[in-house]
Amino acid sequence: MVQITNLEEILSAHPFTAGMDHDALETIVGCCSNAVYHPGDYIFREGDPADDFYLIRQGVVALEIHVPQGQPIVVETLETGEIFGWSWLIPPYRWSNDARASEQVRLLKLDAACLRRKMESDRNLGYEIYKRFLPIMARRLANNRMRIVELALEPRPTHSRRKG
Amino acid sequence: MEGLERILGEHRLFTGLGPSFLTLASGCAKNVVFKAGDYLFRADDAADWIYLIRYGRVALEMALPGREAVQFETPGEGEIVGLTWLLPPYLWGYDARATELTRTIALDARCLRDKCDADHDLGFEILKRFLPVLEHGLQATWLQMLDVYGQPG
Amino acid sequence: MMTTTTADPMVPVPYRIARVIREIDGVFTWHLKSLDGSAFRFRPGQFNMVYHFGVGEIPVSVSGDCRDLDTLVHTIREVGPVTNAMATLRPGDVVGIRGPFGRPWPIDEVTGFDLIFVTSTIGLAPLRPLIYEVLHRRSDFGKVVICYGTRGTDDIMFEADLHRWRARFDTVVHLTVHSAPSGYRGRVGGVASAIRTARVDWPSTQAFVCRSEALTRQAVDTLGGLGVTPDRVWVTLERNMQCGIGLCGHCQLGPTFMCKDGPVYRFDQIEPLYAVREF
């Protein structure tokens, strides 16, 4: 089946699966499909069912947060070679942010229900996936903390002239 | 050891973890108490421990030259300090200081990593439990960036 | 090291404000011309003591092109009484200039290397002369990457320059903001993540960092993790400079005087002094 072989090659080329053994790749490729989004397209919205896990083959994706008043705000952009979407692994499996394509974006989508099922029934695969996932999220958390410190130390925009 | 196992099982992080896994995990655990002002760890130290806070409060802060440290989080009862155990090269990027008397269960990260690598069923259950903690941390820090330091014009 | 345009380094030379540019909120740039038409010579990284007569003086890095001898450019942020008063001056007003002072950025010493510039918000001002000079002599260097981070899209400085640099096929600009309105198409994140996306040969890279002291450490650590050792990281520090010539002692950093031995330092040379709290 030409289609699946192609996908397996593409999947194995993505940094997320680097070093993954052939059997594991073969198992998850069954959950895999291609997707393309145009600039401005929503890939998912806050509250939607978290049905997929995404690997960015090419392009830039913006994660946006809803705030009580006003428009959503972009808090992070992710690029070629990165991944996004983790709510698919955390009950109740609903997205907590919006994801939008900033540029033309080519993604690999892994169907969440399919992947969860395979991870539950094959704990080795499950552990393998978690082991790749968690350091990425931990790195993002560490970055965010650094950004908070940066923001605390950067001069704030002066909306009125400072006296004294 | 049994007391420790029970306490571990009662912590939010390990809710529902089966008894055999709990036993395995508690083999890496010990009670550690910090007095107010004690440092749990400092930046650039090896991130060899995960601290589950049973009681008390810890300030996470970046020490900076020429000025006061910038505090970015103050985890308390039921919360976790030490997600860096998941992040190679496993070095603390910040200081953690007890702001009051704080009782923790400290999990030896290397011990836990080794046990998870040796038993993938255990590894699956343990790592699975850290995911919501990370997710919560990400959402909280994004909001912190916006709420505290101003939204874009 | 000091080159002076006047016999006495303690006497300010009068300059006329030819142009005032409002940059981001609370920041303005002056284009200055000497009253007697004499050229102003400086090297990127140096600073002047700038006088608002009757009000006070402050040290300010030169932020223009060192090959433009007719115009002296200074970018100033309103942070106190002297700079607030300076912000009210108009073209035609006269200010005093003493300088240039200080150790400049290395240029000849870093030929052949890939170069990475790391800065945020107003930090682009002291780096701009260096970037201009590097681009004047582009073929002397390997890859050139500019990593520039701001709080939001409102605090991006020198957008025309950034646009021009971006348009060059031999220069890469990584601009990030911490947050942006929905639909923003650029990169959002911290400066550290911008650094990590730079495609340079890290072991052969020289880094130039212009950030507040506390964030300089952060940048040095990020670069160190990528393989840029502290002997290839150049920083600019600025504190309490008053005389500009190493006499008054206000800018002392350990055994060095920032006005004379700095403000540009190679990081490994000041690393042991860096952590000292009471400057």
Side-chain angles (χ1 to χ4, degrees):
Chain A
M1 296 171 70
V2 175
Q3 168 77 10
I4 288 179
T5 305
N6 217 3
L7 267 178
E8 195 175 325
E9 272 171 30
I10 297 170
L11 185 60
S12 66
H14 193 278
F16 182 74
T17 60
M20 210 180 248
D21 70 56
H22 182 68
D23 289 339
L25 273 170
E26 245 190 3
T27 308
I28 66 178
V29 78
C31 308
C32 189
S33 60
N34 264 313
V36 175
Y37 292 87
H38 303 294
D41 283 353
Y42 279 92
I43 298 160
F44 56 74
R45 300 184 100 121
E46 179 186 308
D48 286 352
D51 286 339
D52 295 284
F53 166 42
Y54 298 92
L55 292 72
I56 304 176
R57 289 181 59 194
Q58 178 78 45
V60 180
V61 173
L63 296 182
E64 303 189 357
I65 284 206
H66 287 253
V67 291
Q69 64 276 56
Q71 293 285 74
I73 297 168
V74 183
V75 286
E76 188 90 49
T77 52
L78 302 157
E79 318 200 359
T80 302
E82 298 192 275
I83 57 127
F84 64 100
W86 38 83
S87 301
W88 64 280
L89 268 177
I90 305 168
Y93 309 132
R94 294 209 165 260
W95 296 120
S96 29
N97 305 308
D98 294 346
R100 269 181 107 166
S102 292
E103 305 173 354
Q104 181 91 345
V105 157
R106 280 187 289 143
L107 302 173
L108 282 173
K109 275 167 47 156
L110 288 162
D111 181 279
C114 173
L115 203 51
R116 279 196 300 265
R117 217 170 31 240
K118 297 196 174 188
M119 285 168 70
E120 282 289 336
S121 63
D122 177 355
R123 294 301 172 97
N124 287 317
L125 175 69
Y127 183 58
E128 181 70 42
I129 301 269
Y130 276 123
K131 259 208 113 165
R132 285 154 191 281
F133 220 73
L134 294 188
I136 292 172
M137 291 180 75
R139 159 65 63 207
R140 298 223 180 118
L141 182 59
N143 283 347
N144 278 11
R145 286 165 165 174
M146 252 212 276
R147 285 164 73 182
I148 286 165
V149 173
E150 266 184 61
L151 284 164
L153 295 174
E154 281 292 337
R156 304 189 59 173
T158 48
H159 292 294
S160 56
R161 206 153 277 171
R162 270 189 235 166
K163 304 280 182 261
Chain B
M1 243 341 180
E2 210 203 50
L4 202 54
E5 216 174 285
R6 183 181 46 79
I7 294 169
L8 204 62
E10 281 167 2
H11 192 281
R12 217 190 313 184
L13 183 65
F14 290 116
T15 309
L17 190 63
S20 60
F21 288 147
L22 206 49
T23 307
L24 277 169
S26 61
C28 301
K30 64 179 187 179
N31 265 311
V32 183
V33 179
F34 298 95
K35 297 192 306 296
D38 284 351
Y39 280 90
L40 282 68
F41 52 80
R42 305 204 78 145
D44 299 328
D45 288 348
D48 286 340
W49 298 95
I50 310 160
Y51 296 94
L52 312 184
I53 302 174
R54 296 181 54 209
Y55 171 85
R57 194 161 294 280
V58 176
L60 307 187
E61 46 196 35
M62 300 267 200
L64 300 156
R67 53 164 300 138
E68 251 177 64
V70 175
Q71 226 176 69
F72 54 85
E73 253 168 74
T74 51
E77 187 175 316
E79 297 186 272
I80 297 157
V81 175
L83 298 171
T84 308
W85 81 283
L86 295 162
L87 181 58
Y90 314 122
L91 292 171
W92 294 117
Y94 52 92
D95 297 344
R97 184 175 49 83
T99 56
E100 45 186 82
L101 179 73
T102 299
R103 299 185 195 286
T104 71
I105 301 194
L107 285 163
D108 181 325
R110 260 184 292 196
C111 169
L112 201 57
R113 271 199 295 272
D114 288 346
K115 288 195 179 187
C116 289
D117 283 338
D119 177 351
H120 289 180
D121 286 321
L122 173 71
F124 182 88
E125 289 298 326
I126 296 283
L127 293 190
K128 179 169 157 171
R129 279 163 169 73
F130 278 92
L131 193 54
V133 180
L134 286 169
E135 195 259 347
H136 176 80
L138 280 171
Q139 293 297 131
T141 47
W142 277 328
L143 286 172
Q144 210 177 333
M145 269 167 34
L146 298 181
D147 287 349
V148 185
Y149 300 113
Q151 296 178 18
Chain C
M1 170 168 348
M2 201 167 70
T3 59
T4 50
T5 56
T6 175
D8 184 343
M10 292 307 290
V11 175
V13 174
Y15 275 71
R16 174 177 53 84
I17 300 174
R19 199 174 158 203
V20 178
I21 301 166
R22 298 252 138 236
E23 307 275 4
I24 62 176
D25 207 18
V27 178
F28 58 94
T29 293
W30 283 341
H31 286 201
L32 303 169
K33 308 270 187 192
S34 65
L35 291 187
D36 63 4
S38 60
F40 183 85
R41 289 188 171 76
F42 75 100
R43 292 167 64 193
Q46 292 191 302
F47 69 97
N48 284 323
M49 294 303 293
V50 179
Y51 285 72
H52 181 0
F53 294 114
V55 180
E57 80 269 11
I58 50 159
V60 190
S61 291
V62 185
S63 61
D65 190 336
C66 64
R67 296 191 184 201
D68 178 354
L69 302 178
D70 298 323
T71 308
L72 169 59
V73 181
H74 277 298
T75 301
I76 297 170
R77 189 161 67 89
E78 297 167 53
V79 289
V82 178
T83 48
N84 287 349
M86 285 175 166
T88 66
L89 296 179
R90 289 284 157 269
D93 289 338
V94 173
V95 295
I97 298 292
R98 264 198 316 120
F101 300 125
R103 188 166 84 157
W105 297 107
I107 299 185
D108 293 323
E109 300 89 318
V110 298
T111 54
F113 286 91
D114 286 356
L115 305 182
I116 186 169
F117 300 90
V118 177
T119 187
S120 47
T121 322
I122 198 183
L124 192 53
L127 269 182
R128 189 169 65 162
L130 176 61
I131 297 173
Y132 281 157
E133 186 56 21
V134 163
L135 294 180
H136 281 311
R137 311 167 40 168
R138 182 63 185 89
S139 56
D140 287 343
F141 310 98
K143 298 210 173 77
V144 171
V145 177
I146 299 163
C147 294
Y148 181 47
T150 66
R151 179 184 298 270
T153 51
D154 287 345
D155 331 75
I156 299 171
M157 295 271 302
F158 305 144
E159 287 191 83
D161 287 305
L162 287 166
H163 189 73
R164 261 206 327 276
W165 297 335
R166 244 209 182 116
R168 296 176 64 123
F169 71 89
D170 59 3
T171 304
V172 174
V173 176
H174 288 304
L175 172 69
T176 55
V177 296
H178 276 291
S179 63
S182 175
Y184 180 68
R185 296 290 162 83
R187 302 295 200 269
V188 176
V191 177
S193 50
I195 295 172
R196 286 195 202 98
T197 60
R199 290 209 196 96
V200 291
D201 182 18
W202 295 110
S204 308
T205 294
Q206 298 271 350
F208 302 93
V209 177
C210 184
R211 309 195 74 191
S212 64
E213 266 178 62
L215 293 174
T216 294
R217 178 88 242 183
Q218 207 196 65
V220 169
D221 288 344
T222 304
L223 289 163
L226 292 161
V228 186
T229 48
D231 62 322
R232 283 181 282 117
V233 179
W234 304 83
V235 302
T236 182
L237 303 180
E238 185 188 282
R239 184 181 293 107
N240 296 332
M241 293 197 261
Q242 290 194 17
C243 69
I245 53 176
L247 285 183
C248 69
H250 280 89
C251 70
Q252 203 165 356
L253 171 64
T256 85
F257 291 90
M258 281 197 216
C259 65
K260 212 157 61 62
D261 308 303
V264 172
Y265 289 95
R266 210 178 72 186
F267 194 77
D268 64 317
Q269 290 170 341
I270 50 151
E271 196 163 12
L273 306 170
Y274 199 71
V276 173
R277 291 194 157 243
E278 61 287 305
F279 280 111

